[in-house]
Amino acid sequence: MHGVSLLFSLACGVSSSSIRTSPRLFLWPTPNERRRSHRKVRCAPITAQFELKRPPYPLDSLEPHMSRETVEHHWGRHHRGHVDALNAQIAGTQLQAMELEDVVIASYNKGSPQSPFVHAAQVWNHEFFWQSMKPGGGGKPSGKLMELIERDFGSFERMLKEFKEAASAQFGSGWAWLAYKANRLDVGNAVTPCPSEKDNKLVIAKTPNAVNPLVWDYSPLLAIDVWEHAYYLDHENRRADYASIFIEKLVSWDIVSSRLHTAMARAAERASEDGRRRQEDDVEITNSEAVEMYVDSDNDSESE
Ligand SMILES: [Fe+2]
């Protein structure tokens, strides 16, 4: 927790997650900012605001593969629109105090396009999408990521093919994903997952509208936005061309690899926690059986 947030949190009795301050507040304040700051210290009503995060590169730096015009429209209008709508929808609700990922999961409504899930998920998805690319991206991953791609898809080329097919085949608006799946849910039908024996592997999925793999407890590694606004200015209706250029020229495999390591560490931690709980349950059962045996044998001796 940031020091300023911690002090403010203690002074006002609210959690730090409900305070989203601009980084500018940590610079020397202007007179207006000082006045705002005084209002905060007196614990005036707090309005948590999710921010519109900029892509982590200049808006024209993905050219010639994604034009500045596309990024400006997509980020500056569509992404911004979801941030503004989300902030308006959650104002005064319990969701206001949550982190964005928690709002997505808490408000999931099985794919039905209702608020506030749609805007929360679209804000999360767009931030994730911008961070999935970099100028001079593409090429091939290495290390553990490449090892799992070859294990789970047969080859890197096969994975690319399946990813492009998913992006092209998603009917209407939505997203295509590469994700790490550490549970036993099969989301072939994305809205109503079924049990599967396959877990701890990489999977490709496509989702309608704003749905993302967080809602199935998968760990997303890579996302492509296949809403028409993401590609129409550059490719008109040729979504397959856009998907090819995205995966071959724009993807930051460094960030995908980093996400995989985080996902695997999280899965290992959960497995270890589950194992510990099972051991505790086994000890409890053994102890209760021992007591029953003792009681039974005692009764037997009395009856004799
Ligand atoms: Fe979008």
Side-chain angles (χ1 to χ4, degrees):
M1 183 186 298
H2 192 285
V4 173
S5 296
L6 175 60
L7 289 173
F8 182 62
S9 181
L10 292 172
C12 300
V14 295
S15 73
S16 66
S17 63
S18 65
I19 308 164
R20 297 184 184 90
T21 50
S22 160
R24 272 167 47 75
L25 288 178
F26 303 123
L27 304 175
W28 290 109
T30 64
N32 278 341
E33 284 171 334
R34 255 186 247 117
R35 279 194 289 278
R36 281 202 296 275
S37 175
H38 285 308
R39 283 203 298 272
K40 280 177 180 293
V41 171
R42 287 199 303 270
C43 294
I46 297 166
T47 304
Q49 294 283 303
F50 286 103
E51 295 173 359
L52 175 67
K53 289 187 184 168
R54 285 187 75 87
Y57 36 74
L59 302 188
D60 61 357
S61 62
L62 300 181
E63 291 186 334
H65 308 300
M66 185 178 287
S67 69
R68 178 189 179 103
E69 194 182 11
T70 287
V71 178
E72 282 179 346
H73 273 77
H74 194 174
W75 171 73
R77 295 189 183 181
H78 293 276
H79 186 169
R80 183 189 299 277
H82 289 297
V83 173
D84 292 345
L86 174 63
N87 283 327
Q89 284 181 342
I90 65 172
T93 73
Q94 289 181 333
L95 298 172
Q96 201 172 21
M98 294 183 183
E99 297 297 329
L100 181 57
E101 185 170 323
D102 296 329
V103 176
V104 171
I105 293 166
S107 62
Y108 180 50
N109 43 40
K110 303 198 184 306
S112 175
Q114 298 167 6
S115 60
F117 171 78
V118 168
H119 295 302
Q122 285 295 69
V123 173
W124 193 95
N125 295 350
H126 281 95
E127 286 178 8
F128 192 83
F129 172 66
W130 299 123
Q131 290 161 6
S132 296
M133 297 182 282
K134 69 174 185 181
K140 283 187 174 186
S142 58
K144 191 69 182 173
L145 176 58
M146 188 56 133
E147 184 188 314
L148 292 198
I149 286 173
E150 290 176 341
R151 184 196 71 181
D152 295 334
F153 297 96
S155 69
F156 178 65
E157 290 69 27
R158 179 73 198 171
M159 187 279 292
L160 291 188
K161 185 169 182 291
E162 287 189 29
F163 186 86
K164 289 182 212 171
E165 284 173 356
S168 301
Q170 168 56 37
F171 180 74
S173 300
W175 299 77
W177 307 84
L178 174 67
Y180 183 71
K181 165 181 182 296
N183 62 36
R184 292 179 182 276
L185 287 179
D186 178 8
V187 292
N189 176 347
V191 177
T192 52
C194 300
S196 159
E197 288 308 305
K198 299 172 184 170
D199 60 357
N200 290 316
K201 61 175 295 196
L202 299 180
V203 292
I204 284 172
K206 56 184 192 295
T207 57
N209 304 313
V211 177
N212 71 35
L214 290 175
V215 300
W216 313 314
D217 202 23
Y218 286 16
S219 298
L221 304 179
L222 174 66
I224 180 173
D225 185 340
V226 297
W227 286 64
E228 210 169 61
H229 64 238
Y231 59 89
Y232 202 86
L233 288 176
D234 290 342
H235 303 281
E236 297 183 337
N237 62 345
R238 299 184 299 277
R239 189 196 285 180
D241 291 353
Y242 157 65
S244 294
I245 286 174
F246 172 85
I247 195 92
E248 291 166 15
K249 305 290 185 187
L250 291 171
V251 167
S252 169
W253 290 114
D254 298 338
I255 190 79
V256 177
S257 187
S258 162
R259 289 166 176 167
L260 173 65
H261 285 288
T262 303
M264 292 180 74
R266 179 169 167 259
E269 193 179 320
R270 280 187 171 189
S272 161
E273 182 67 16
D274 288 347
R276 191 183 60 75
R277 279 209 198 96
R278 271 198 300 274
Q279 273 186 341
E280 285 176 358
D281 290 346
D282 288 348
V283 169
E284 248 176 57
I285 289 169
T286 307
N287 287 344
S288 64
E289 282 173 350
V291 169
E292 281 177 21
M293 284 172 66
Y294 176 78
V295 170
D296 284 349
S297 62
D298 200 33
N299 288 341
D300 288 348
S301 64
E302 279 180 6
S303 63
E304 285 170 4

